[in-house]
Amino acid sequence: MFSDMHPSIARVALPVPLDKQFDYLIPAHCQPVIGGRVSVPFGRQTLIGIVTELGHNSEMSPDVLKPIRSVLDERPVWSASLFRLFTWCSQYYQYPLGDTLSNALPAALRKGKAADFATLREWCLTSAGRDKLMQGLGRAVQQAKVLRLLENGTQSHQTLLDEDISRQVLNTLEEKGWIEAIDRKPDCQPWPELLEDEDEKPQLNMEQSVAIATINSQHEFGCYLLEGVTGSGKTEVYLNLIAPMLKQGKQALVLVPEIGLTPQTIQRFRSRFMVPVVVMHSGLNETERLNAWLSARDGHAGVIIGTRSALFTPFADLGIIIVDEEHDASYKQQDSLRYHARDVAVMRASYEQIPIVLGSATPALETLQNALSGKYHHLTLTQRAGDAVPTTNRVLDIKGLYLEGGLSAPLIAEMRKHLQAGNQVLLFLNRRGYAPVLMCHECGWVAHCQRCDARYTYHQITQELRCHHCGSQRPVFPQCHDCGSTQMATVGVGTEQLETQLAQIFPQYRTIRIDRDSTRKKGTLESALNAVHRGEYHILIGTQMLAKGHHFPRVTLVGLLDVDSALYSHDFRASERLAQLFIQVAGRAGRASQPGEVVLQTHHPEHSLLQALLKKDYRHFAMSALHERKLALLPPFSYLTLFKAESNQAELGEDFLRQVKQTLEIHPLFDHATCSVLGPSPAPMAKRAGKYRWQLLMQTMSRPIMQKLLMSAKPVIQRLPLAGKVRWSLDVEPHDLS
Ligand code: ADP
Ligand code: ZN
Ligand code: ZN
């Protein structure tokens, strides 16, 4: 309630897992604002929360209320529309508001730091250092490296750390007087007159022009699906949509998948626009993240490119949102606030009354359905831009064929052809390690993770067994645990083994493996990709890390080695993902006027999904998949909520979920004609990291009903006797059913 009088009570959302807010007294010297941070006592701790209301009334008696300790912000950290978005998120995804708000803040603000630009340290060469560089440093390799890195100008402290330089080396060099630290706040200059580099712009084709004109004519909310095959010039469309926004002084938000944030992508935006293009991803340190956040909020950044969580960045004047590769699974957060960044982005655009563009070569079935039903506008790019030609796709029946490291003889022959022509080959195998199974050759015993319902993966390089689900690892068993035999054998092929085999099959060609194991260290992925671009390697082995965002102009053959498991999965989205992967991987090849070829090894060449993909295209596949979903009443034709429970004792989770089921089914809003609850059943991985896992799936035909039902049933579920004894969670519109 607004009042002229100094409000006496503030309602505060705190980062605690409770669906409620807390009232505090406002001391006379404090002037909290709605949407600003305050620090308050909570039990024995001091917490930082966000003020959601100011007034004079509380349900609690004033003598039990405690006073606010301090006010951290003089103005709200978010705009009213963004605050409304968080409230919506909290309700839609059934996650406490206090936690939702806290999650959306950069860590520095969450910890109570001032919402002010932090100083960043940079290093530069002194003249003594420059002299030293000329003379050479002999054996001090690290020191020489620093001097060389600084030769052409200053570098940020973080960049040097990323280059594997230790703090100690920097200190030593500083003591010697060869380098100098500069601490400064980022300079936030007004945007220049000329915002765009016209020389960088290609002549647009007809489809691109139509898409741009259509979206540019929109000055309010509108959602556009931009469906365009890989290389059809979607990014060029984004750039052309952003330019006029910048000219009006408005900013742009570009969301990209986790692995799509490549240096090439960033460079493309930076070289085109003269305004600050600021990157936001999980690799930023606290200071960098705060500065990026502030540069968007205060209007210094023209473009923010970021991964999922960049969606929650405040902007001074946001003009457009772009979600690239909108189908990508990394847009769904799998824990805490289980939001889908694409869906929330659409909501944000509608609150802010601005256009949003969802781009993909392989739209998610949900998005496609929204476009087909007219909820979203549908724009297509059917031609590959420039001189690139479509790939030819082929299925290779490997039934009964001998496989060498997972490769069939016909594929090896094909590889030889491409390699001899001086081209690169990309082999796609979505399985890390040497082999997924270690088995006793005499009795068939298999090495299992003791904490999970899963087999150990054998890693030859480190001579370890590793569980890819809980991360546990142990030395390789030399002997069978069952019969004592020493004849342990591997089954199946992972990327390590493929690499070893390729060295024997093609000793004259260099192979590089790019997966999570080989690129664990910061910067190794970039240097590997650069080496590939320079042509230092002939064969690339990759997991799904390589399926997106990267362009390999010299690759003319792509081989997919093992896709059969996705054809027969318990997850109804597996076929959609395989289709998307196939199109994405195929899009890596033949971009630069060299015709590309895609070969897919399978035991099921007749499978309808593969046929639809090969003979026709993604759209054809998607239409038949949508038809199947409709018959089965699966999303987007119904709405799911997944309840999960984990516990050390096997029965607890099941019992709890049975109570949840009952709670839902007797609820007045639960209409048995349009709502159903499946389960409880063991999760597809019934045990993980020592915990037994159960799940329950609720299906409704209407989204509002699902919402209302969850809102009103959740407090009841929270009070169930077993709710405090198991670890449970609720995933609205889940993407991962495991
Ligand atoms: P996508 O984002 O759909 O994969 P890009 O926008 O990256 O496609 O375009 C692929 C390549 O074609 C890029 O090198 C880009 O510079 C170029 N390109 C895009 N549009 C055109 C055009 N109209 N004429 C010539 N080249 C273009
Ligand atoms: Zn045995
Ligand atoms: Zn495990």
Side-chain angles (χ1 to χ4, degrees), residues 265-555:
T265 311
I266 300 165
Q267 193 45 41
R268 221 164 137 196
F269 283 81
R270 290 220 166 119
S271 63
R272 183 69 156 263
F273 300 125
M274 310 306 181
V275 301
V277 172
V278 175
V279 181
M280 261 200 182
H281 56 81
S282 53
L284 298 186
N285 67 25
E286 239 178 73
T287 316
E288 293 169 325
R289 197 172 183 85
L290 175 62
N291 284 350
W293 192 89
L294 290 166
S295 71
R297 187 191 72 169
D298 296 347
H300 305 302
V303 182
I304 292 275
I305 306 183
T307 49
R308 188 175 61 220
S309 66
L311 170 64
F312 296 132
T313 312
F315 283 83
D317 191 1
L318 184 59
I320 190 167
I321 304 179
I322 285 155
V323 183
D324 192 27
E325 312 281 6
E326 63 82 30
H327 63 278
D328 194 87
S330 76
Y331 284 126
K332 171 81 177 173
Q333 176 145 311
Q334 302 289 3
D335 56 12
S336 58
L337 175 65
R338 294 174 165 80
Y339 68 102
H340 197 296
R342 177 209 32 209
D343 298 346
V344 182
V346 173
M347 209 60 197
R348 178 166 186 178
S350 92
Y351 282 170
E352 308 218 3
Q353 285 297 304
I354 55 172
I356 175 168
V357 180
L358 310 178
S360 177
T362 53
L365 294 183
E366 284 84 353
T367 307
L368 190 59
Q369 179 59 26
N370 278 330
L372 295 172
S373 73
K375 202 170 149 199
Y376 297 171
H377 307 264
H378 199 168
L379 299 164
T380 49
L381 304 180
T382 55
Q383 308 297 315
R384 277 187 158 202
D387 51 1
V389 289
T391 56
T392 47
N393 305 333
R394 195 149 67 88
V395 157
L396 200 69
D397 186 357
I398 53 167
K399 273 199 298 288
L401 293 188
Y402 172 72
L403 300 180
E404 212 173 339
L407 300 167
S408 64
L411 180 55
I412 293 174
E414 198 61 38
M415 286 176 69
R416 183 161 285 126
K417 243 173 48 195
H418 284 260
L419 291 168
Q420 280 170 354
N423 296 319
Q424 289 175 329
V425 172
L426 166 61
L427 295 177
F428 185 83
L429 178 60
N430 209 9
R431 196 185 288 127
R432 298 181 286 129
Y434 188 87
V437 180
L438 184 67
M439 189 189 271
C440 169
H441 193 51
E442 289 193 40
C443 78
W445 177 85
V446 168
H448 261 92
C449 172
Q450 260 128 45
R451 310 174 68 217
C452 301
D453 182 17
R455 293 186 281 259
Y456 272 128
T457 298
Y458 171 51
H459 287 248
Q460 192 185 46
I461 295 175
T462 51
Q463 278 297 311
E464 273 171 342
L465 296 176
R466 278 198 222 148
C467 172
H468 287 184
H469 302 282
C470 70
S472 71
Q473 49 203 52
R474 49 177 307 154
V476 176
F477 308 120
Q479 279 189 310
C480 171
H481 278 197
D482 232 24
C483 72
S485 159
T486 51
Q487 291 203 40
M488 298 299 287
T490 61
V491 185
V493 178
T495 49
E496 272 184 17
Q497 186 173 166
L498 178 58
E499 185 181 22
T500 317
Q501 291 289 327
L502 282 169
Q504 285 170 19
I505 305 171
F506 294 111
Q508 69 277 43
Y509 296 110
R510 294 190 66 198
T511 298
I512 184 165
R513 172 170 61 93
I514 301 184
D515 57 22
R516 208 137 44 87
D517 295 321
S518 75
T519 58
R520 224 167 270 275
K521 252 180 54 189
K522 223 172 166 179
T524 43
L525 176 61
E526 279 74 48
S527 54
L529 292 173
N530 287 337
V532 170
H533 284 287
R534 286 194 301 268
E536 285 170 27
Y537 294 95
H538 308 102
I539 306 172
L540 291 68
I541 302 173
T543 54
Q544 65 184 9
M545 276 182 76
L546 276 198
K548 290 165 220 164
H550 310 290
H551 307 320
F552 300 110
R554 296 174 189 230
V555 168

Side-chain angles (χ1 to χ4, degrees), residues 668-684:
L669 284 171
F670 192 94
D671 169 9
H672 287 263
T674 57
C675 305
S676 60
V677 184
L678 294 161
S681 50

